[in-house]
Amino acid sequence: QYPWASNDIWIRNFNDGLLEHQNPEYSATTPNYAYIRITNKSCVYTASNNSVTLYWAKAGTSLNWPSTWNGSSYFSNDALMGNVIGTVTIPTLAPGEEKIISMPFLVPNPADYNFFGSDARHFCLLARIESNDDPMTLPETNDLVSNVLNNNNIAWKNVTIVDLFSDRLNGIVAVGNPFNETKQFYLELIKEDTETGKPIYEEAEVSFEMNDVLYKAWERGGKESSMLNDTSEDNKKIVKGNHVILDKISFNPNEVGLLNLSFNFLTKEVTDKSKY
């Protein structure tokens, strides 16, 4: 249901071999470590020349394959949209066998994506197995979601780069039009069906701020929305409940805006819930 939450990719702050995911900690010189679990689901031994490549990309709503991920695309301030982390040869696997591959990950500097005056820390990882014996089930296209859903040689994991000594509750994502023509889009904020307990919008004030590019695109479409309250700033809205819609966002060709999503826990009520 959530292709961006693979259990076969995780991060450790140190190369300790543990299996629990940690949010990567930014350092200019010290890498975190990315782990990838690879399983041979066939009835024969795998070849010895298969490899897995891991990529990162700045989180956004239009993560085109491969241009967003291979180091060929940049934001307007010359910050990379994404790049290759590394490639590792996969050992030969017996039928049903699994191996865990690790590689160092020198995470991108969130300050390079400081478009709102606060760090943009939400990033995506993509692991992709390359094999002559086991090609992709369906040919890949620019549509990343379809590629992941249709091919078990591709896995996707969203992560947040953190500063373990800070307590900031916001995330910035790119929202854009990957096509060479004007198109309309909508954004929807929903509570996951699998979540139990109070939703985030009942425990905290959830708000978002649109940068000028995103706001003007929404304005061109008539500024239609649902489940949002206005604020004193036209480009900042407060979430009222579930199924928030920001509708008819009319982007120019290849235009990219930014959305800053914030959470402000206003009450001191103690609950058993710590993850949303």
Side-chain angles (χ1 to χ4, degrees):
Q1 187 177 4
Y2 306 114
W4 53 85
S6 172
N7 291 323
D8 289 324
I9 306 173
W10 64 97
I11 299 293
R12 298 296 299 175
N13 300 140
F14 302 97
N15 193 20
D16 54 18
L18 298 181
L19 305 181
E20 182 181 0
H21 173 70
Q22 295 176 314
N23 281 322
E25 168 82 357
Y26 171 70
S27 169
T29 57
T30 303
N32 292 249
Y33 284 83
Y35 290 82
I36 307 166
R37 180 188 294 107
I38 299 170
T39 305
N40 177 11
K41 295 184 175 182
S42 76
C43 299
V44 297
Y45 280 81
T46 63
S48 60
N49 60 349
N50 297 330
S51 63
V52 59
T53 300
L54 188 65
Y55 305 81
W56 69 265
K58 181 67 191 74
T61 58
S62 302
L63 297 176
N64 272 15
W65 172 260
S67 60
T68 304
W69 303 86
N70 62 11
S72 65
S73 298
Y74 295 81
F75 290 104
S76 58
N77 69 336
D78 295 329
L80 275 170
M81 289 187 176
N83 211 346
V84 176
I85 296 172
T87 299
V88 174
T89 299
I90 303 169
T92 298
L93 300 178
E97 185 181 8
E98 70 175 39
K99 291 281 187 182
I100 295 175
I101 306 291
S102 69
M103 63 181 76
F105 175 28
L106 196 62
V107 303
N109 186 356
D112 292 342
Y113 305 86
N114 191 10
F115 304 113
F116 273 96
S118 61
D119 290 348
R121 302 176 305 281
H122 194 47
F123 288 77
C124 305
L125 302 178
L126 193 74
R128 183 173 174 274
I129 294 173
E130 298 178 6
S131 170
N132 293 329
D133 299 325
D134 181 23
M136 298 298 171
T137 306
L138 294 179
E140 292 167 281
T141 68
N142 288 340
D143 184 351
L144 178 73
V145 176
S146 294
N147 292 346
V148 175
L149 293 176
N150 291 328
N151 294 291
N152 68 352
N153 281 355
I154 306 175
W156 177 4
K157 177 85 164 190
N158 284 0
V159 300
T160 299
I161 297 174
V162 298
D163 177 353
L164 296 181
F165 298 100
S166 72
D167 186 25
R168 295 167 296 185
L169 293 171
N170 75 300
I172 300 176
V173 294
V175 182
N177 176 12
F179 302 102
N180 294 321
E181 57 185 303
T182 299
K183 281 186 175 290
Q184 281 194 345
F185 300 83
Y186 73 91
L187 287 175
E188 183 177 18
L189 306 182
I190 62 171
K191 172 184 173 291
E192 291 189 356
D193 294 338
T194 56
E195 186 175 12
T196 59
K198 285 187 177 181
I200 185 70
Y201 47 80
E202 291 183 7
E203 296 271 12
E205 179 186 82
V206 181
S207 63
F208 64 77
E209 179 184 356
M210 297 170 272
N211 78 337
D212 287 343
V213 174
L214 178 55
Y215 179 75
K216 289 177 181 177
W218 182 52
E219 190 175 44
R220 283 193 293 268
K223 297 200 294 187
E224 294 191 18
S225 66
S226 61
M227 297 302 293
L228 289 174
N229 282 329
D230 293 332
T231 72
S232 59
E233 302 172 60
D234 291 341
N235 65 331
K236 185 175 181 179
K237 307 295 178 183
I238 295 177
V239 169
K240 294 168 59 177
N242 199 16
H243 290 287
V244 172
I245 298 290
L246 199 66
D247 210 359
K248 296 183 180 177
I249 306 169
S250 183
F251 277 120
N252 295 322
N254 301 301
E255 193 173 39
V256 179
L258 296 164
L259 184 85
N260 184 3
L261 187 65
S262 301
F263 308 90
N264 181 20
F265 285 82
L266 300 171
T267 68
K268 297 296 183 181
E269 179 184 358
V270 177
T271 67
D272 294 333
K273 189 171 182 178
S274 61
K275 294 184 179 181
Y276 299 86

